[in-house]
Amino acid sequence: MKQYLSTLAVLVAVSASLTGCAGSGTSSGISGKALADCKAAASDAVDALRAVPELYIPAAAAKGAVAPGKSVWVVNLLSNDLTNNITTGIKAAASALGMEFHELNGNGTAQSANQALSTALGAGADAIVTSGIDASIASNPLQKAKSAGVAVITILADDVDAPIDPLVYADLTLSADYVGKAYADYALHRTGCDLELGNVSLPASIPLSNEVGKVTEGEVTRLCSACAVHTIEMDVANLATGLPTQVQSMMKQHPGINYLAVGFDSAVPFAGPRAQRINKDVTLISANGLAPNLQMIKNGGVQDADMSFPPNDYIGWLAVHSVLAALSGTPGENQRIPMRLIDKTNIENSALTSLYPTYDGFQAAFEKAWGLS
């Protein structure tokens, strides 16, 4: 009995730390049944988000025999930890298939991205994989790729449920509804439904980011009518110099902000510390599952949760699966990248391979699907 009571006390303490420390613990706007319903709904949603996803290998036919001698070009709008990790996966998968691999960088601007795509087409690319680039900023080279029969696979261009853009073969991406609600539900959970959220978003011109922001605000309002959301759009080409100032201005304009949702992990070092200069108790959720961010969660830093992808090189192999499917003549379809909520309750250590045990050896699973083993 003594051990039971001791364990119960620990669980109560952990629960209190997870649901109350980012806010005041009592809602100044909703109370009674509305407050209880909000807390229960947010808690249930967070529990489900923490579950380990099953390994996902698309069923679409992708024949490894069509790959040898073909070339795949990678064009990233931005070079950061996520895109670098994904590119590493693409390179490894291409090597396993006997494909040529080339990489170009869009340097954060539409002009550079268009030039990089044109370079890949001029060099005779058989397939192109892009990240952060869609037809809204690169319609001319993508139209040329379509006319030349070059398959273009985009990563994180639009919502997974959006129709496939006619200029691309498929988009490997996430569900805006899933991520937007996850951001809102976790923020409500952490603040005990006493939330004033600072939403640090990618530009609204990026369709996926725009939709995630709308869903986040809608979910907050649905569960907590008195809670508030304030949004700023980061300048992705000038994160290091611009974002700290943007966050500081938002925090000073809205001093009640007690939690942040940040668009992607690489932006956290520029957003989180500046926010805590204004309010030392502010913490945040972000997305991608980069190692430094997961370590921050483990160490109790400004980031306390992450909507994490699997090991990021898995996304690269998933992209090459779509390349093979295109070269095999299989109709294109968007692919949803699996995600898992990581926080203090389930992090244990910051290695994605341990946080995604079902993804151990995913490379062999792809090779089997491609007929290589």
Side-chain angles (χ1 to χ4, degrees), residues 124-143:
D126 293 297
I128 298 173
V129 179
T130 73
S131 67
I133 300 171
D134 69 352
S136 68
I137 65 170
S139 59
N140 187 44
L142 292 184
Q143 182 62 65

Side-chain angles (χ1 to χ4, degrees), residues 306-321:
D306 196 287
M307 284 303 295
S308 168
F309 291 136
N312 297 159
D313 53 339
Y314 159 83
I315 303 172
W317 284 70
L318 184 64
V320 172
H321 186 94

Side-chain angles (χ1 to χ4, degrees), residues 128-367:
I128 298 173
V129 179
T130 73
S131 67
I133 300 171
D134 69 352
S136 68
I137 65 170
S139 59
N140 187 44
L142 292 184
Q143 182 62 65
K144 290 180 179 178
K146 179 81 171 180
S147 299
V150 177
V152 176
I153 289 84
T154 56
I155 299 176
L156 300 174
D158 204 346
D159 183 16
V160 71
D161 296 319
I164 298 177
D165 190 290
L167 298 183
V168 305
Y169 175 77
D171 188 24
L172 278 57
T173 187
L174 46 81
S175 164
D177 186 73
Y178 183 77
V179 175
K181 286 180 178 177
Y183 274 10
D185 292 335
Y186 195 81
L188 288 165
H189 176 65
R190 285 287 282 124
T191 60
C193 290
D194 183 14
L195 173 66
E196 189 165 345
L197 180 68
N199 182 34
V200 184
S201 173
L202 285 154
S205 59
I206 299 175
L208 180 59
S209 172
N210 193 30
E211 192 60 30
V212 168
K214 289 179 181 177
V215 173
T216 298
E217 185 167 358
E219 178 75 349
V220 169
T221 301
R222 182 181 73 86
L223 293 179
C224 179
S225 59
C227 294
V229 179
H230 310 289
T231 298
I232 57 173
E233 296 178 19
M234 64 181 87
D235 178 359
V236 294
N238 298 288
L239 284 180
T241 56
L243 188 54
T245 301
Q246 286 182 285
V247 170
Q248 179 172 301
S249 297
M250 177 180 67
M251 297 288 294
K252 287 185 174 180
Q253 184 178 357
H254 305 287
I257 289 175
N258 58 356
Y259 201 79
L260 297 183
V262 178
F264 61 102
D265 280 354
S266 293
V268 169
F270 309 114
R274 186 59 62 94
Q276 286 197 328
R277 284 191 192 180
I278 310 300
N279 180 350
K280 64 181 178 61
D281 295 322
V282 165
T283 53
L284 63 87
I285 185 172
S286 185
N288 295 165
L290 299 183
N293 299 73
L294 296 176
Q295 191 63 44
M296 201 181 305
I297 295 170
K298 182 174 174 59
N299 293 343
V302 63
Q303 183 170 351
D304 57 16
D306 196 287
M307 284 303 295
S308 168
F309 291 136
N312 297 159
D313 53 339
Y314 159 83
I315 303 172
W317 284 70
L318 184 64
V320 172
H321 186 94
S322 286
V323 168
L324 284 183
L327 295 176
S328 302
T330 303
E333 59 179 345
N334 291 342
Q335 302 294 339
R336 178 174 170 176
I337 303 170
M339 302 186 84
R340 182 189 184 196
L341 174 68
I342 304 298
D343 67 0
K344 269 286 193 179
T345 69
N346 60 2
I347 191 162
E348 297 179 3
N349 65 64
S350 59
L352 276 176
T353 49
S354 67
L355 299 174
Y356 276 83
T358 51
Y359 281 68
D360 184 36
F362 69 81
Q363 298 91 338
F366 275 113
E367 290 179 352

Side-chain angles (χ1 to χ4, degrees), residues 1-12:
M1 175 63 74
K2 184 180 294 184
Q3 183 176 357
Y4 168 79
L5 291 174
S6 176
T7 301
L8 181 61
V10 170
L11 290 174
V12 169

Side-chain angles (χ1 to χ4, degrees), residues 7-92:
T7 301
L8 181 61
V10 170
L11 290 174
V12 169
V14 170
S15 175
S17 70
L18 287 173
T19 59
C21 66
S24 65
T26 59
S27 175
S28 59
I30 60 173
S31 59
K33 186 176 185 301
L35 178 59
D37 288 348
C38 176
K39 288 182 176 180
S43 179
D44 288 347
V46 166
D47 284 343
L49 291 166
R50 290 180 178 132
V52 180
E54 293 299 317
L55 174 61
Y56 174 62
I57 305 292
K63 303 171 185 176
V66 303
K70 301 290 186 181
S71 65
V72 57
W73 287 68
V74 176
V75 180
N76 295 314
L77 179 63
L78 294 171
S79 177
N80 55 39
D81 288 344
L82 175 64
T83 59
N84 292 340
N85 293 343
I86 293 173
T87 300
T88 296
I90 294 172
K91 185 176 182 179

